[in-house]
Amino acid sequence: MVFSLLVTDITEWDKAYPACGGREQSPINVDTWDSKFDPTLGPIQVSGYDVSPEESLKLKNNGHTVVLQLPDSLQINGGLANTYRAAQLHFHWGSHSSPGSEHTVNGQKFPGEIHVVHYSSNFQGLEEAVTQPGGLAVLAAFIEEGPDENEDYEHLLTHLENVKEAGQSTEIPGFDIRGLLPHQLDRYYRYNGSLTTPPCYQTVNWTIFNQTVLLSENQLAILEDTIHHDHDHVLQMNFREPQSLNGRLVLSSFD
Ligand SMILES: NS(=O)(=O)c1c(F)c(F)c(SCCc2ccc(C(=O)O)cc2)c(F)c1NC1CCCCCCC1
Ligand SMILES: [Zn+2]
């Protein structure tokens, strides 16, 4: 599925992609004091995330981010109204001197953000689900700098050099995708929003974990400095600014 971005200027997306001008857009700023505790929001439960090293996964630089294609055997089967199947995961980042998360919390931007994109098993596949209300569920976590190397992220970061040019892809051995998410999947914010890139469809059920993932300084530098959007230019700051809530409620699974 390729969406060639007809306009490079983010403020004109809604000319070519009307949904981008909608009232339920993403990302947003999460104001924790305005979020409402919802005791019915149970822990996120995933299955099939431990992909065998015998399986290979496609890693691609699509010029806008680095995407890891995921088999639909990875599922979310708890914490959401329906079962969702994995499609892909990708990242948003800034630069060494400037944070690049898409969502913010009480106005705080984080160095990076991982998005694990899933589609509802009520639909045949991603292409159909992406246009349907409730069609997508994205698990989002913030990436921060920590004191130690994150071994789970090494399974992915060691291959970025092979997809440094836009359009390049490579196959990497399967690994435990669960390790890319925070340890705690029971504390999260929940709201209804959209894709943060054209076509900006307002079909995404967002889960933003309260706990962050920690990468070493060197690992963050690899994420920030390896991926190029053309031969001479490193891809950085690939985030959309927070969009207005327009009255939407942000729920939290914890008090
Ligand atoms: N945060 S997000 O989930 O909205 C998101 C972004 F912010 C993204 F920036 C992206 S990448 C930009 C869209 C794109 C461009 C080129 C190609 C290609 O050449 O294959 C593919 C996609 C990106 F891929 C995604 N996720 C995709 C959205 C595009 C289409 C829906 C299918 C999976 C989710
Ligand atoms: Zn994203």
Side-chain angles (χ1 to χ4, degrees), residues 1-5 13 26-27 58 60-67 69 87-92 102-103 113 115-118 126-127 130 136 138 167 194-201 204 206 238-240:
M1 174 179 290
V2 177
F3 294 97
S4 57
L5 301 191
W13 280 354
S26 294
K58 184 179 174 187
K60 179 178 179 181
N61 172 349
N62 67 21
H64 305 273
T65 182
V66 58
V67 183
Q69 296 298 333
Q88 52 109 299
L89 64 83
H90 63 273
F91 298 89
H92 300 270
E102 296 215 293
H103 291 88
E113 188 168 333
H115 289 160
V116 191
V117 182
H118 303 71
L126 179 67
E127 279 69 16
V130 73
L136 300 184
V138 179
S194 73
L195 296 173
T196 65
T197 186
C200 306
Y201 294 137
V204 182
W206 282 95
N238 61 346
F239 57 85
R240 189 187 194 187

Side-chain angles (χ1 to χ4, degrees), residues 105-139:
V105 179
N106 297 334
Q108 179 187 356
K109 222 170 168 58
F110 292 82
E113 188 168 333
I114 179 174
H115 289 160
V116 191
V117 182
H118 303 71
Y119 64 91
S120 168
S121 59
N122 293 341
F123 304 107
Q124 287 310 306
L126 179 67
E127 279 69 16
E128 184 195 348
V130 73
T131 61
Q132 306 294 319
L136 300 184
V138 179
L139 302 182

